Structures are given as C-alpha cells and as structure tokens.
Amino acid sequence: MTARIDEIAPDLYRISLYVPAFDLQFNHFLVRDDEPLLFHTGMRGMFPAMREAVATLIDPASLRWISWSHFEVDECGALNEWLAAAPNATPVCGQVGAMINIADFSNRPPRGLKPDEILETGRHRFRFVPTPHLPHGWDAGVLFEETERVLLCSDLMHQLGDVEPVTTGDVVGRYRQAFEIYQQSPVLMDYMPYTENTKRQLASLAALQPRLLAAMHGSTFAGDGAAALVASGEVIRQVTSVSAAAV
Ligand SMILES: [Fe+2]
Ligand SMILES: [Fe+2]
C-alpha cells in the first residue's frame, strides 16, 4: 500500500491510500507547521504506510496534534500507534468525543475543543465546529483552516474511486452517486441521517465560505465550497427520503 501525497494548500498535504476492495480512497491531512497536525489517523492496518508517508514530510516524532471528526476506525483507529510514535503529540477533538470516547480509548489524555475554539499550529488557525450526527456520530465535528479557507470535512462530499487529488468538477454529483450506491446496499445503507438539523448545520459550514473541501474519501473540491455544502444537504434529503419511502 503506497500513499499518494499532494500539497493542496501551502504546507497542507493530502496523503491518500486507495483500497481497491472498497473502491475507495482514505485521505489523511498533514499540516506542516510549528506544531504539526495530522487530521485522520487512518486505520491501524494502514499505520505502516501512513508513517512512511508522513516521514517524507516531517519527522513523525515531531507531531504535536492528532485530530479527526468522529469515533470510527478510519478517523482515529491508529491514534495510539501515532501517540507511541510521537511522544509530544496530543489527541484533539470536540468536548463530547473527548469525554465519551477518547478519555478511555486513548493512551494519553485528549484536549477537548469547545464550539468555535481555535487551535493554532503556528501559521495556521483551525476553528472547531461541532456537527453532531453530521455525517454521523454524536461526537462529529470539523476543523476549518481560516488562513487558506480549507474545510477538513471528513465524510462530507464522499466520492468513490481512485480519483484525482483536487477537482473543480461536479463533486456534488459524485457524492450523490456514492450515496445512492451505499443506500442500495443492505449493509452500507443509512450511512448518514437527514434530520431537522442537517440543513442548519450545513448552512453554518457554508457561512465559513470554504475555498477547499478536503474530503476523507475522494477528491478535494476547489471552488465555491458554500454552494457545494448547501447542495449536498439536498442530496442527503433526497437519497434518504427515497429509501425511506421504499421501506
Ligand atoms: Fe464516518
Ligand atoms: Fe470515513
């Protein structure tokens, strides 16, 4: 398993591992800064490949912050492997995740971020925005890099395939296609819920006016991130309402 590494914004790297069995990329984002940050640890089985990839950019032992969106193996499964490799690294996530999962799961205590709290890594500033149950998980949240206007958006804008690192194309169309395929699967259906909060949460992310949507699965979208986020809410509503009607 060999990673593809692309710099999608100054000193912000997308480290992509493609898994053919799932026809899916798993993307991890490394910020090279005074206090280096890794967003998405990857699964435990991916750790050797991820460590090798990170080592081409920084000394892995110099990692200071390890973060993710919600408690799931592709988000934070290899957290303890990274903590062992980086003695000064601290897990950082929302207060809910820190309390309900990470205080026990992690080999070192986490920093729990309040809504809109800023994590500074040096030249970069990350705003924590809680998004409970979007894409899924009580503890879900995203980080917004304010200098370059990059939204580390986890499973939002999920796309299938071994796609290009960055696209200006129809990422919402790709998202709909992936979501519909999952929704037709007896195992993968109900990937994301649509609730009364979904549109409101997406509107608050859109208000950040992101220039890049750094998706965990698929291409990073470059363009009008606000419009894409709002449109993705309609995709979630339509795809989930069709399947609900079919029940
Ligand atoms: Fe997820
Ligand atoms: Fe994911």
Side-chain angles (χ1 to χ4, degrees):
M1 192 179 276
T2 305
R4 172 168 178 162
I5 304 174
D6 294 275
E7 188 174 13
I8 60 168
D11 285 324
L12 202 164
Y13 296 87
R14 175 184 183 272
I15 303 173
S16 183
L17 292 167
Y18 176 67
V19 179
F22 302 150
D23 189 26
L24 195 60
Q25 291 174 337
F26 291 83
N27 302 318
H28 318 78
F29 298 93
L30 181 81
V31 180
R32 190 161 59 182
D33 209 336
D34 300 340
E35 298 186 3
L37 162 75
L38 178 65
F39 191 76
H40 300 153
T41 70
M43 300 180 193
R44 289 192 308 149
M46 291 177 174
F47 180 70
M50 276 297 297
R51 192 183 187 289
E52 191 180 315
V54 167
T56 67
L57 299 169
I58 61 164
D59 174 1
S62 70
L63 261 182
R64 177 66 185 91
W65 301 106
I66 301 172
S67 191
W68 61 91
S69 167
H70 50 279
F71 195 67
E72 201 170 13
V73 290
D74 57 353
E75 296 274 350
C76 60
L79 173 60
N80 287 322
E81 283 78 358
W82 281 110
L83 292 178
N88 297 316
T90 298
V92 57
C93 60
Q95 288 176 310
V96 173
M99 181 186 292
I100 65 171
N101 292 318
I102 304 305
D104 181 74
F105 176 75
S106 172
N107 287 343
R108 285 209 289 278
R111 173 175 166 185
L113 297 174
K114 300 187 190 77
D116 287 320
E117 187 171 343
I118 302 292
L119 173 69
E120 288 200 42
T121 59
R123 298 177 304 284
H124 297 84
R125 285 168 51 90
F126 294 86
R127 178 178 297 273
F128 174 69
V129 184
T131 59
H133 307 291
L134 177 72
H136 37 243
W138 182 14
D139 56 328
V142 293
L143 287 182
F144 178 61
E145 200 285 315
E146 296 191 326
T147 312
E148 300 294 330
R149 312 201 75 73
V150 182
L151 188 66
L152 300 172
C153 64
S154 177
D155 297 328
L156 300 176
M157 299 301 159
H158 178 133
Q159 306 143 62
L160 300 175
D162 197 11
V163 290
E164 66 275 47
V166 180
T167 185
T168 56
D170 180 16
V171 75
V172 177
R174 288 189 193 173
Y175 180 59
R176 177 187 293 275
Q177 179 202 33
F179 204 177
E180 285 177 346
I181 288 171
Y182 279 25
Q183 204 63 1
Q184 287 159 14
S185 158
V187 177
L188 297 174
M189 67 183 300
D190 297 329
Y191 177 39
M192 294 184 200
Y194 184 82
T195 75
E196 289 185 4
N197 290 325
T198 307
K199 272 197 175 166
R200 180 185 57 75
Q201 289 173 318
L202 287 166
S204 69
L205 297 181
L208 299 169
Q209 296 287 316
R211 182 179 74 81
L212 292 173
L213 300 178
M216 175 188 245
H217 309 288
S219 303
T220 289
F221 174 66
D224 186 345
L229 287 163
V230 170
S232 76
E234 190 55 18
V235 169
I236 301 172
R237 188 189 69 77
Q238 289 178 3
V239 174
T240 54
S241 66
V242 166
S243 63
V247 169

